[in-house]
């Protein structure tokens, strides 16, 4: 667990998700699903039950190459970062990064803290050697943030996302941990 202060004086805590966070996590994902179109799920599409969320957290916390980190202010979730990896030998070394911060807390360095936490964890779990992610090409802020941490663009998936009749390209980005 790590705690620090942001400019407006709020104390931010970063810690691993626990099973009793399940309902708060669901509510948070439902909320951010409304706030942004940059996530893979839209409004009313985070259809996970409490039992399913608990079982996911249990699985994450007993695995060596998966993690869910919560950013909290006064015990309220304001950001979540995840590394999700396969159990299969051929791909267990690839950690897929997911991140979202509540829009009320954008541009306070919280996303950067979460990404650093995830990358540092990957470097020490003795399995992950590459971090991958997918990001909408027009999500310039996220792309800049990933580049700041050393991610590079590995490819473009054309028309992968369709929102209200408009297609968007997705960038595949990657970070090799043995070179950072
Ligand atoms: C992307 C996201 C996680 C960033 O979180 P955050 O807490 O606002 O990030 P930070 O405050 O650490 O960093 C923001 C950086 O982007 C920069 N920035 C802000 N707007 C920008 C823009 N339009 N273009 C480029 N950079 C921008 C800021 O200056 C800051 O740069 P710095 O680190 O050099 O100071 C957050 O905006 C978010 O959750 N967005 C919606 C969901 C999403 O897009 N998730 C990623 C899906 S792949």
């Amino acid at each position: 667990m790590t705690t620090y202060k942001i400019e407006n004086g709020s104390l931010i805590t970063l810690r691993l998700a626990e099973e009793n966070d399940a309902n708060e996590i669901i509510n948070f994902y439902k909320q951010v699903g409304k706030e942004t179109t940059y996530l893979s799920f839209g409004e009313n599409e985070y259809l996970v039950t409490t039992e399913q969320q608990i079982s996911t957290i249990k699985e994450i916390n007993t695995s060596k190459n998966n993690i869910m980190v919560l950013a909290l202010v006064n015990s309220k979730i304001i950001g979540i970062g995840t590394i999700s990896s396969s159990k299969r030998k051929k791909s267990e070394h690839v950690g897929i990064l997911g991140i979202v911060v509540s829009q009320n807390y954008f541009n306070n360095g919280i996303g950067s803290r979460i990404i650093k936490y995830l990358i540092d964890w990957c470097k020490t779990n003795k399995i992950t050697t590459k971090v991958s992610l997918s990001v909408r090409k027009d999500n310039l802020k996220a792309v800049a943030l990933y580049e700041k941490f050393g991610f590079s663009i590995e490819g473009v998936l054309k028309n992968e996302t369709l929102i209200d009749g408009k297609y968007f390209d997705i960038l595949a980005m990657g970070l090799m941990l043995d070179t950072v």
Side-chain angles (χ1 to χ4, degrees):
M1 187 171 101
T2 150
T3 301
Y4 66 96
K5 218 178 238 183
I6 55 172
E7 242 173 54
N8 72 5
S10 297
L11 265 189
I12 310 287
T13 297
L14 291 188
R15 66 158 172 85
L16 298 187
E18 294 162 9
E19 287 168 43
N20 59 12
D21 295 314
N23 281 326
E24 285 301 314
I25 291 169
I26 293 170
N27 291 338
F28 176 78
Y29 276 136
K30 286 191 168 156
Q31 176 60 32
V32 290
K34 280 188 232 168
E35 290 178 359
T36 176
T37 62
Y38 288 133
L39 296 172
S40 57
F41 56 90
E43 188 173 358
N44 304 321
E45 284 184 341
Y46 193 73
L47 303 171
V48 172
T49 65
T50 305
E51 290 67 34
Q52 287 167 335
Q53 192 67 60
I54 289 173
S55 125
T56 303
I57 296 166
K58 222 182 254 178
E59 227 175 277
I60 290 172
N61 287 345
T62 50
S63 115
K64 291 201 166 84
N65 57 356
N66 291 272
I67 190 173
M68 180 183 274
V69 178
L70 307 182
L72 305 115
V73 173
N74 299 327
S75 307
K76 191 177 159 45
I77 299 175
I78 53 118
I80 301 185
T82 51
I83 294 288
S84 312
S85 308
S86 169
K87 289 191 177 106
R88 295 183 177 155
K89 278 277 159 222
K90 287 180 192 170
S91 47
E92 65 174 12
H93 65 287
V94 180
I96 298 166
L97 185 148
I99 184 166
V100 58
V101 170
S102 163
Q103 66 182 9
N104 293 335
Y105 287 88
F106 278 0
N107 300 321
N108 280 296
I110 296 165
S112 300
R113 290 268 188 163
I114 295 173
I115 294 172
K116 182 170 178 342
Y117 190 111
L118 296 174
I119 293 173
D120 286 348
W121 179 81
C122 286
K123 283 182 189 165
T124 56
N125 72 11
K126 298 194 168 73
I127 301 179
T128 312
T129 55
K130 175 180 183 180
V131 184
S132 291
L133 59 88
S134 302
V135 58
R136 241 169 67 195
K137 193 177 165 187
D138 62 318
N139 191 353
L140 300 181
K141 175 183 168 185
V143 173
L145 196 54
Y146 299 139
E147 283 175 336
K148 181 175 94 176
F149 281 93
F151 284 83
S152 57
I153 296 168
E154 298 182 339
V156 185
L157 306 173
K158 296 269 179 205
N159 287 9
E160 276 283 301
T161 295
L162 177 61
I163 302 173
D164 297 335
K166 184 172 172 2
Y167 288 105
F168 295 88
D169 295 348
I170 295 283
L171 300 179
M173 298 187 78
L175 174 71
M176 307 306 154
L177 295 184
D178 40 11
T179 59
V180 292

